[in-house]
Structure formats: structure tokens, C-alpha cells
């Protein structure tokens, strides 16, 4: 069967990625916190909403999917959000997802925990590169991140605020993710069972996190660095720190990981440019809300001047359309791009963009709409019901 036929949706990439990756990484990507109830709810939330079909409208040959967010016009209303260690799941994974985003005309959110760093990606990704910042407990380290952003001409920083407490992912605990600092016999066995992934490791070596490479306090190699980076996260994140960063960073500042509209209200008052409504893909607070169920209330809390992006559980074009209909400016996706790049590299990420774009276009036109702008201009409730 041809690849085009084999890959019809995100779930096809998920299954293929799990077949190619050692269990420790497949589980790290897929897993959620504790009982994984928030993880499941994120998906179930979408089923509580229904879209309205309108017929006999004057449909254009091609729907216009362009949308305005992060201060600009982009070709699509969704883009890849920050995923740690993409370059572990596929050699140069960060670069491949970034290049696919650039080709699709959307931003790419590079994680602090990426394998390739800002300096090596900026020349290739240009304006499409945005940086996700985890605050380290050492202000000098944070300053080095900001300096790298300034030097590379990065416009947007996503400050992630929902990880001051590290939640428990039981799958990771079982596999020893973030606890193993080198390749143990158990890991070697997992790697041996995934020869396609392991061959690359043998040929090209174990990658490291470029941003902290050569700094002994972070250890050597991505596994040790993953554990050091996580243990060094600033546990005393407060709104004062958001305001301090606002003063330090003249570019666009978006805080990622706000899920209660009351926090959305404080975010707006603290002068940030936008908010990502996110529960970290169900990886932090278990038994929380599905993010889709909070979009309308968050939009109301933020008012018109503060951008609203949303992620967690988005897998379908119709999921994206629902978020836009409820008031989001754009959607970010995490795991889908990790799975696509792990399964099929550059081809996979390109295929994922085109599948999702086609699904969004078809959904909009079946709703009698020719563009994302038309959907966003419609009064709330015109095209979506439920919740
Ligand atoms: C494997 C993995 C790694 C992640 N790494 C980061 C990260 O480094 N920084 C960050 O802000 N969020 C990180 N996230 C959260 C994502 O940015 C995003 O909020 C979440 O994946 C959205 O849910 P989805 O995967 O269902 O799309 C990570 C998520 C996953 C699954």
C-alpha cells in the first residue's frame, strides 16, 4: 500500500511511531498524568459540541484557511507547539518539523528541551521560529536563553507556566524516563527491539540538547540533560516573574498553560500578548477540564486585545474548527507532529499538514463557509452548539 493511502489521520501516525520507537520514548510521548483522565477528557470534550451544516451557499473552488495570530497573517489556523526532545524520536526531528511548518506557512514553537538549539535553527526557519521558555532556577541561564532569542531575531516567546510542580506520569516512572542517565541493559534491550531507530543511533551517536551542550552542570547526552533540565526548573513561578519577563522581553510574550478563565483575566492584566489555553496535553493536572470546554469562557476573560491560542487533544480538522468557532485565534498541536516525524520524518510532517488542512477546508465548506475569517466573523453560536 502506498504511503499516501496508509496515512489517513493522526492515529495512523501514532501507531506507526509506536512501532518504530523504543517503548521509553513511545510512552513518554503518549502518556498523561496519573490515571490519564485529563488526557482522555481532552478528546471526549470535542464530542460535546456539534457543528452546523449549511447548504446551497456559493462555495469558492478553494477555501481560504489563512488566519491572524501572533501578530501576523499565517497560512493555516494551526501549528506545531513545543515538544521536548523531538530530535530523539527522529534524527533532526526539531529541524524537520520546523521546516514543514515553514513550508506550510505557519510558526514552529521550539521547546527549551529541544535537541537542536535556537542558533542552529534560526538561519533555516527565520520568522517562523518561536521559542518556548522554561524558566530555570538560575537567572543567568534564563538570560542566556533570552540572549540566544535576541541574537536569532526570535519574535515570540511562549513562557510555559503549568510545570512549576512536576506531575507524575506513571508510564515514565516504570520506564525510568528522566531517571536513567545512561543506557542500561534494559534500555539496550528496548533499543534492540526497534532496529530502524537504533541503527541511526549506532551510526550517528546519541544526541544532546544543543542549548546546554558543553555545560557540565547539565550532564552529557539527552537522557542526562532531560533529567537535569527538569530538576532545575524554577519552582517559584509567580505572576511577578511573568511581569519581570514582560519588562525584560520587548518581543511578543505569550503564556502557555493557563486553563482557568480567572487566570486568563490576570494574564490580560499582566500585559502579555496572548495566552495558550492548555493543560499540557493532560500531562500535569489529572481530572482537569478538557481545554475545548474552556475556550468560550477564556475568550470572554481575555477580551478582544489578548490573543487566545489553545492546545491539548487536537487531532482532527473539525477539532480546530470547533476551537475557532468558540473564539480561539489558533490551535497548537503537540503529539501529532511528534508522531508524524517519528514515523515518517519530513514526508510524515508534510503529509500531516496536508491532511489536517484538507479536513479543515472540507469542514468549513460543508458548514457553508469559504474562509476561517468568515467563521470568526460570525456571532458566537452561529455555527457551533453544545458544551
Ligand atoms: C512528548 C511531549 C513533550 C512536551 N514537551 C514540552 C516542552 O518542552 N515545553 C512545553 O511547553 N510543552 C511541552 N509539551 C506540551 C505540549 O506543548 C502541548 O501543550 C501538548 O502536547 C498539547 O497536547 P497534544 O499533545 O494533545 O496536542 C510536551 C508534550 C509532549 C507530549
Amino acid at each position: 500500500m502506498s504511503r499516501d493511502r496508509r496515512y489517513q489521520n493522526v492515529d495512523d501516525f501514532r501507531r506507526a511511531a509506536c512501532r518504530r520507537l523504543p517503548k521509553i520514548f513511545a510512552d513518554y510521548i503518549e502518556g498523561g498524568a496519573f490515571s490519564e483522565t485529563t488526557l482522555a477528557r481532552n478528546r471526549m470534550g470535542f464530542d460535546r459540541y456539534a457543528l452546523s451544516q449549511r447548504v446551497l451557499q456559493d462555495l469558492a473552488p478553494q477555501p481560504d484557511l489563512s488566519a491572524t495570530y501572533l501578530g501576523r497573517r499565517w497560512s493555516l489556523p494551526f501549528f506545531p507547539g513545543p515538544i521536548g526532545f523531538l530530535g530523539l524520536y527522529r534524527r533532526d526531528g526539531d529541524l524537520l518539523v520546523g521546516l514543514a511548518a515553514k513550508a506550510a506557512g505557519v510558526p514552529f514553537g521550539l521547546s527549551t528541551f529541544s535537541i537542536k538549539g535556537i542558533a542552529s535553527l534560526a538561519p533555516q526557519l527565520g520568522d517562523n521560529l518561536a521559542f518556548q521558555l522554561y524558566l530555570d532556577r538560575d537567572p543567568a541561564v534564563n538570560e542566556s536563553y533570552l540572549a540566544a532569542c535576541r541574537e536569532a531575531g526570535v519574535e515570540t516567546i511562549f513562557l510555559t507556566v503549568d510545570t512549576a510542580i512536576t506531575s507524575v506520569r506513571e508510564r515514565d516512572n516504570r520506564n525510568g524516563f528522566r531517571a536513567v542517565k545512561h543506557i542500561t541493559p534494559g534500555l539496550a534491550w528496548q533499543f534492540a527491539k526497534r532496529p530502524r531507530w537504533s541503527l541511526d543511533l549506532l551510526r550517528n551517536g546519541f544526541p544532546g540538547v544543543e542549548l546546554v551542550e558543553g555545560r557540565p552542570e547539565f550532564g552529557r547526552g539527552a537522557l542526562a540533560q532531560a533529567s537535569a533540565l527538569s530538576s532545575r526548573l524554577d519552582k517559584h513561578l509567580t505572576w511577578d516573574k511573568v511581569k519581570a519577563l514582560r519588562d525584560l522581553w520587548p518581543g511578543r510574550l505569550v503564556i502557555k498553560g493557563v486553563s482557568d478563565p480567572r487566570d486568563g483575566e490576570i494574564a490580560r492584566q499582566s500585559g502579555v500578548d496572548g495566552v495558550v489555553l492548555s493543560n499540557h496535553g493532560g500531562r500535569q493536572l489529572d481530572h482537569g477540564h478538557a481545554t475545548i470546554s474552556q475556550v468560550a469562557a477564556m475568550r470572554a476573560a481575555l477580551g478582544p486585545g489578548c490573543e487566545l491560542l489553545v492546545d491539548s487533544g487536537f487531532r482532527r480538522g473539525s477539532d480546530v474548527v470547533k476551537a475557532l468557532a468558540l473564539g480561539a485565534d489558533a490551535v497548537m498541536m503537540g503529539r501529532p507532529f511528534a508522531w508524524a516525524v517519528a514515523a515518517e520524518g519530513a514526508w510524515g510532517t508534510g503529509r500531516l499538514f496536508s491532511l489536517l488542512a484538507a479536513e479543515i477546508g472540507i469542514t468549513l465548506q460543508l458548514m457553508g463557509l469559504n474562509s476561517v475569517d468568515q467563521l470568526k466573523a460570525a456571532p458566537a453560536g452561529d455555527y457551533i452548539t453544545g458544551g
Side-chain angles (χ1 to χ4, degrees), residues 87-88 91 115 197 201 204-209 213 220-223 225:
L88 262 185
R91 180 77 44 182
I115 298 295
W197 182 90
L201 190 76
N204 301 304
F206 210 87
V209 176
E213 205 65 351
R220 276 187 51 218
L223 283 177
Q225 288 159 337

Side-chain angles (χ1 to χ4, degrees), residues 70 82 131-133 135 156-162 237-246 249 252-260 262-280 298 302 306-311 332:
L70 299 183
F131 183 67
Q132 174 269 324
L133 175 66
L135 283 179
T156 299
I157 285 184
F158 294 100
L159 173 69
T160 299
V161 296
D162 57 2
L237 277 183
T238 57
W239 287 106
D240 284 345
K241 292 208 174 148
V242 172
K243 287 183 191 133
L245 183 64
R246 176 66 294 179
W249 175 251
R252 187 161 290 272
L253 180 61
V254 177
I255 52 176
K256 172 174 179 289
V258 175
S259 58
D260 189 305
R262 288 171 297 183
D263 286 337
E265 185 119 20
I266 307 174
R268 176 174 55 82
Q269 288 160 8
S270 69
V272 298
D273 298 293
V275 155
V276 185
L277 165 57
S278 170
N279 55 34
H280 219 94
M298 189 64 83
L302 293 179
C306 193
E307 284 189 358
L308 172 58
L309 290 85
V310 59
D311 75 15
M332 286 159 67

Side-chain angles (χ1 to χ4, degrees), residues 82-84 111 132 134 160 256 280-281 283 311-313 315 334-335:
I83 289 285
S111 164
Q132 174 269 324
Y134 275 133
T160 299
K256 172 174 179 289
H280 219 94
R283 293 160 82 80
D311 75 15
S312 298
R315 302 288 179 266
R335 294 179 184 88

